[in-house]
PDB file of all heavy atoms in Angstrom:
ATOM      1  N   PHE A 154      20.228   7.448 -91.364  1.00  0.00           N
ATOM      2  CA  PHE A 154      21.338   7.176 -90.354  1.00  0.00           C
ATOM      3  C   PHE A 154      22.228   8.267 -90.142  1.00  0.00           C
ATOM      4  O   PHE A 154      22.383   9.041 -91.156  1.00  0.00           O
ATOM      5  CB  PHE A 154      22.245   6.021 -90.775  1.00  0.00           C
ATOM      6  CG  PHE A 154      23.420   5.706 -89.991  1.00  0.00           C
ATOM      7  CD1 PHE A 154      23.344   5.067 -88.770  1.00  0.00           C
ATOM      8  CD2 PHE A 154      24.651   6.191 -90.417  1.00  0.00           C
ATOM      9  CE1 PHE A 154      24.549   4.957 -87.963  1.00  0.00           C
ATOM     10  CE2 PHE A 154      25.787   6.106 -89.561  1.00  0.00           C
ATOM     11  CZ  PHE A 154      25.752   5.489 -88.431  1.00  0.00           C
ATOM     12  N   GLY A 156      26.017   9.101 -87.893  1.00  0.00           N
ATOM     13  CA  GLY A 156      26.927   8.673 -86.947  1.00  0.00           C
ATOM     14  C   GLY A 156      28.356   8.608 -87.467  1.00  0.00           C
ATOM     15  O   GLY A 156      28.573   8.959 -88.681  1.00  0.00           O
ATOM     16  N   SER A 157      29.324   8.286 -86.710  1.00  0.00           N
ATOM     17  CA  SER A 157      30.716   8.135 -87.179  1.00  0.00           C
ATOM     18  C   SER A 157      31.125   6.736 -87.544  1.00  0.00           C
ATOM     19  O   SER A 157      30.502   5.708 -87.148  1.00  0.00           O
ATOM     20  CB  SER A 157      31.519   8.700 -85.914  1.00  0.00           C
ATOM     21  OG  SER A 157      31.393   7.891 -84.775  1.00  0.00           O
ATOM     22  N   LEU A 158      32.184   6.593 -88.241  1.00  0.00           N
ATOM     23  CA  LEU A 158      32.761   5.336 -88.686  1.00  0.00           C
ATOM     24  C   LEU A 158      33.897   5.134 -87.762  1.00  0.00           C
ATOM     25  O   LEU A 158      34.838   5.996 -87.454  1.00  0.00           O
ATOM     26  CB  LEU A 158      33.259   5.478 -90.120  1.00  0.00           C
ATOM     27  CG  LEU A 158      32.201   5.871 -91.101  1.00  0.00           C
ATOM     28  CD1 LEU A 158      32.804   5.998 -92.533  1.00  0.00           C
ATOM     29  CD2 LEU A 158      31.125   4.757 -91.216  1.00  0.00           C
ATOM     30  N   THR A 159      33.978   3.915 -87.170  1.00  0.00           N
ATOM     31  CA  THR A 159      35.045   3.575 -86.163  1.00  0.00           C
ATOM     32  C   THR A 159      36.382   3.235 -86.856  1.00  0.00           C
ATOM     33  O   THR A 159      37.397   3.260 -86.088  1.00  0.00           O
ATOM     34  CB  THR A 159      34.629   2.322 -85.358  1.00  0.00           C
ATOM     35  OG1 THR A 159      34.444   1.220 -86.250  1.00  0.00           O
ATOM     36  CG2 THR A 159      33.236   2.663 -84.576  1.00  0.00           C
ATOM     37  N   ASP A 160      36.426   2.964 -88.151  1.00  0.00           N
ATOM     38  CA  ASP A 160      37.555   2.651 -88.901  1.00  0.00           C
ATOM     39  C   ASP A 160      37.568   3.388 -90.253  1.00  0.00           C
ATOM     40  O   ASP A 160      37.384   2.799 -91.161  1.00  0.00           O
ATOM     41  CB  ASP A 160      37.912   1.159 -89.108  1.00  0.00           C
ATOM     42  CG  ASP A 160      39.219   0.833 -89.730  1.00  0.00           C
ATOM     43  OD1 ASP A 160      39.929   1.723 -90.051  1.00  0.00           O
ATOM     44  OD2 ASP A 160      39.633  -0.251 -89.625  1.00  0.00           O
ATOM     45  N   PRO A 161      37.689   4.686 -90.289  1.00  0.00           N
ATOM     46  CA  PRO A 161      37.525   5.478 -91.446  1.00  0.00           C
ATOM     47  C   PRO A 161      38.468   5.237 -92.553  1.00  0.00           C
ATOM     48  O   PRO A 161      38.135   5.179 -93.701  1.00  0.00           O
ATOM     49  CB  PRO A 161      37.591   6.927 -90.994  1.00  0.00           C
ATOM     50  CG  PRO A 161      38.327   6.898 -89.677  1.00  0.00           C
ATOM     51  CD  PRO A 161      38.081   5.572 -89.049  1.00  0.00           C
ATOM     52  N   THR A 164      37.364   1.787 -94.240  1.00  0.00           N
ATOM     53  CA  THR A 164      36.142   2.117 -94.900  1.00  0.00           C
ATOM     54  C   THR A 164      36.332   2.824 -96.134  1.00  0.00           C
ATOM     55  O   THR A 164      35.770   2.618 -97.205  1.00  0.00           O
ATOM     56  CB  THR A 164      35.227   2.852 -93.977  1.00  0.00           C
ATOM     57  OG1 THR A 164      35.071   2.135 -92.782  1.00  0.00           O
ATOM     58  CG2 THR A 164      33.726   3.021 -94.689  1.00  0.00           C
ATOM     59  N   ALA A 165      37.219   3.879 -96.098  1.00  0.00           N
ATOM     60  CA  ALA A 165      37.509   4.694 -97.275  1.00  0.00           C
ATOM     61  C   ALA A 165      38.090   3.825 -98.343  1.00  0.00           C
ATOM     62  O   ALA A 165      37.878   3.954 -99.626  1.00  0.00           O
ATOM     63  CB  ALA A 165      38.442   5.912 -96.818  1.00  0.00           C
ATOM     64  N   LEU A 168      35.530   1.667 -99.942  1.00  0.00           N
ATOM     65  CA  LEU A 168      34.610   2.469-100.761  1.00  0.00           C
ATOM     66  C   LEU A 168      35.348   2.849-102.038  1.00  0.00           C
ATOM     67  O   LEU A 168      34.667   2.904-103.147  1.00  0.00           O
ATOM     68  CB  LEU A 168      34.085   3.718-100.090  1.00  0.00           C
ATOM     69  CG  LEU A 168      33.152   3.483 -98.882  1.00  0.00           C
ATOM     70  CD1 LEU A 168      32.770   4.755 -98.129  1.00  0.00           C
ATOM     71  CD2 LEU A 168      31.853   2.880 -99.493  1.00  0.00           C
ATOM     72  N   ILE A 198      25.050  -1.108 -92.509  1.00  0.00           N
ATOM     73  CA  ILE A 198      24.919  -0.350 -93.787  1.00  0.00           C
ATOM     74  C   ILE A 198      25.702  -1.093 -94.833  1.00  0.00           C
ATOM     75  O   ILE A 198      26.828  -1.575 -94.639  1.00  0.00           O
ATOM     76  CB  ILE A 198      25.555   1.062 -93.616  1.00  0.00           C
ATOM     77  CG1 ILE A 198      24.762   1.864 -92.517  1.00  0.00           C
ATOM     78  CG2 ILE A 198      25.525   1.799 -94.889  1.00  0.00           C
ATOM     79  CD1 ILE A 198      25.401   3.186 -92.223  1.00  0.00           C
ATOM     80  N   LEU A 215      29.149  -2.794 -93.781  1.00  0.00           N
ATOM     81  CA  LEU A 215      29.625  -2.153 -92.514  1.00  0.00           C
ATOM     82  C   LEU A 215      28.801  -2.779 -91.395  1.00  0.00           C
ATOM     83  O   LEU A 215      27.694  -2.443 -91.236  1.00  0.00           O
ATOM     84  CB  LEU A 215      29.489  -0.588 -92.645  1.00  0.00           C
ATOM     85  CG  LEU A 215      30.196   0.136 -93.684  1.00  0.00           C
ATOM     86  CD1 LEU A 215      30.027   1.661 -93.589  1.00  0.00           C
ATOM     87  CD2 LEU A 215      31.727  -0.206 -93.610  1.00  0.00           C
ATOM     88  N   ALA A 219      31.469  -1.251 -86.890  1.00  0.00           N
ATOM     89  CA  ALA A 219      32.137  -0.272 -87.838  1.00  0.00           C
ATOM     90  C   ALA A 219      31.455   1.040 -87.705  1.00  0.00           C
ATOM     91  O   ALA A 219      31.953   1.952 -88.259  1.00  0.00           O
ATOM     92  CB  ALA A 219      32.009  -0.936 -89.322  1.00  0.00           C
ATOM     93  N   ILE A 220      30.253   1.097 -87.192  1.00  0.00           N
ATOM     94  CA  ILE A 220      29.501   2.343 -87.130  1.00  0.00           C
ATOM     95  C   ILE A 220      29.069   2.672 -85.784  1.00  0.00           C
ATOM     96  O   ILE A 220      28.693   1.799 -84.962  1.00  0.00           O
ATOM     97  CB  ILE A 220      28.252   2.376 -88.027  1.00  0.00           C
ATOM     98  CG1 ILE A 220      27.433   1.058 -87.877  1.00  0.00           C
ATOM     99  CG2 ILE A 220      28.625   2.444 -89.537  1.00  0.00           C
ATOM    100  CD1 ILE A 220      26.264   0.927 -88.771  1.00  0.00           C
ATOM    101  N   ASP A 221      29.034   4.012 -85.430  1.00  0.00           N
ATOM    102  CA  ASP A 221      28.794   4.427 -84.143  1.00  0.00           C
ATOM    103  C   ASP A 221      27.810   5.590 -84.268  1.00  0.00           C
ATOM    104  O   ASP A 221      28.216   6.785 -84.401  1.00  0.00           O
ATOM    105  CB  ASP A 221      29.965   4.934 -83.310  1.00  0.00           C
ATOM    106  CG  ASP A 221      29.590   5.344 -81.866  1.00  0.00           C
ATOM    107  OD1 ASP A 221      28.499   4.996 -81.383  1.00  0.00           O
ATOM    108  OD2 ASP A 221      30.495   5.843 -81.145  1.00  0.00           O
ATOM    109  N   GLU A 249      41.811  10.122 -88.479  1.00  0.00           N
ATOM    110  CA  GLU A 249      40.663  11.071 -88.747  1.00  0.00           C
ATOM    111  C   GLU A 249      39.434  10.527 -88.188  1.00  0.00           C
ATOM    112  O   GLU A 249      39.201   9.395 -88.122  1.00  0.00           O
ATOM    113  CB  GLU A 249      40.576  11.330 -90.285  1.00  0.00           C
ATOM    114  CG  GLU A 249      41.517  12.378 -90.806  1.00  0.00           C
ATOM    115  CD  GLU A 249      41.147  12.725 -92.368  1.00  0.00           C
ATOM    116  OE1 GLU A 249      40.318  13.713 -92.504  1.00  0.00           O
ATOM    117  OE2 GLU A 249      41.623  12.168 -93.202  1.00  0.00           O
ATOM    118  N   LYS A 250      38.575  11.530 -87.875  1.00  0.00           N
ATOM    119  CA  LYS A 250      37.203  11.121 -87.603  1.00  0.00           C
ATOM    120  C   LYS A 250      36.223  11.417 -88.812  1.00  0.00           C
ATOM    121  O   LYS A 250      36.336  12.547 -89.342  1.00  0.00           O
ATOM    122  CB  LYS A 250      36.706  11.820 -86.328  1.00  0.00           C
ATOM    123  CG  LYS A 250      35.240  11.446 -85.903  1.00  0.00           C
ATOM    124  CD  LYS A 250      34.841  12.137 -84.684  1.00  0.00           C
ATOM    125  CE  LYS A 250      33.402  11.676 -84.276  1.00  0.00           C
ATOM    126  NZ  LYS A 250      32.999  12.350 -82.913  1.00  0.00           N
ATOM    127  N   MET A 251      35.447  10.464 -89.247  1.00  0.00           N
ATOM    128  CA  MET A 251      34.480  10.786 -90.272  1.00  0.00           C
ATOM    129  C   MET A 251      33.117  10.374 -89.831  1.00  0.00           C
ATOM    130  O   MET A 251      32.801   9.305 -89.187  1.00  0.00           O
ATOM    131  CB  MET A 251      34.919   9.768 -91.326  1.00  0.00           C
ATOM    132  CG  MET A 251      34.233  10.002 -92.719  1.00  0.00           C
ATOM    133  SD  MET A 251      35.009   9.051 -94.097  1.00  0.00           S
ATOM    134  CE  MET A 251      33.931   9.741 -95.422  1.00  0.00           C
ATOM    135  N   VAL A 252      32.183  11.328 -90.131  1.00  0.00           N
ATOM    136  CA  VAL A 252      30.777  11.102 -89.771  1.00  0.00           C
ATOM    137  C   VAL A 252      29.893  10.885 -91.031  1.00  0.00           C
ATOM    138  O   VAL A 252      30.162  11.448 -92.024  1.00  0.00           O
ATOM    139  CB  VAL A 252      30.324  12.385 -89.161  1.00  0.00           C
ATOM    140  CG1 VAL A 252      28.783  12.198 -88.821  1.00  0.00           C
ATOM    141  CG2 VAL A 252      30.955  12.568 -87.785  1.00  0.00           C
ATOM    142  N   LEU A 253      29.086   9.674 -90.916  1.00  0.00           N
ATOM    143  CA  LEU A 253      28.258   9.304 -92.030  1.00  0.00           C
ATOM    144  C   LEU A 253      26.846   9.568 -91.764  1.00  0.00           C
ATOM    145  O   LEU A 253      26.329   9.214 -90.652  1.00  0.00           O
ATOM    146  CB  LEU A 253      28.475   7.710 -92.308  1.00  0.00           C
ATOM    147  CG  LEU A 253      27.611   7.120 -93.267  1.00  0.00           C
ATOM    148  CD1 LEU A 253      27.803   7.590 -94.729  1.00  0.00           C
ATOM    149  CD2 LEU A 253      27.733   5.602 -93.271  1.00  0.00           C
TER     150      LEU A 253
END
Side-chain angles (χ1 to χ4, degrees):
F154 170 83
S157 60
L158 302 175
T159 60
D160 189 349
T164 304
L168 287 175
I198 298 175
L215 297 182
I220 46 184
D221 182 14
E249 278 189 88
K250 182 176 181 180
M251 188 172 182
V252 175
L253 170 68

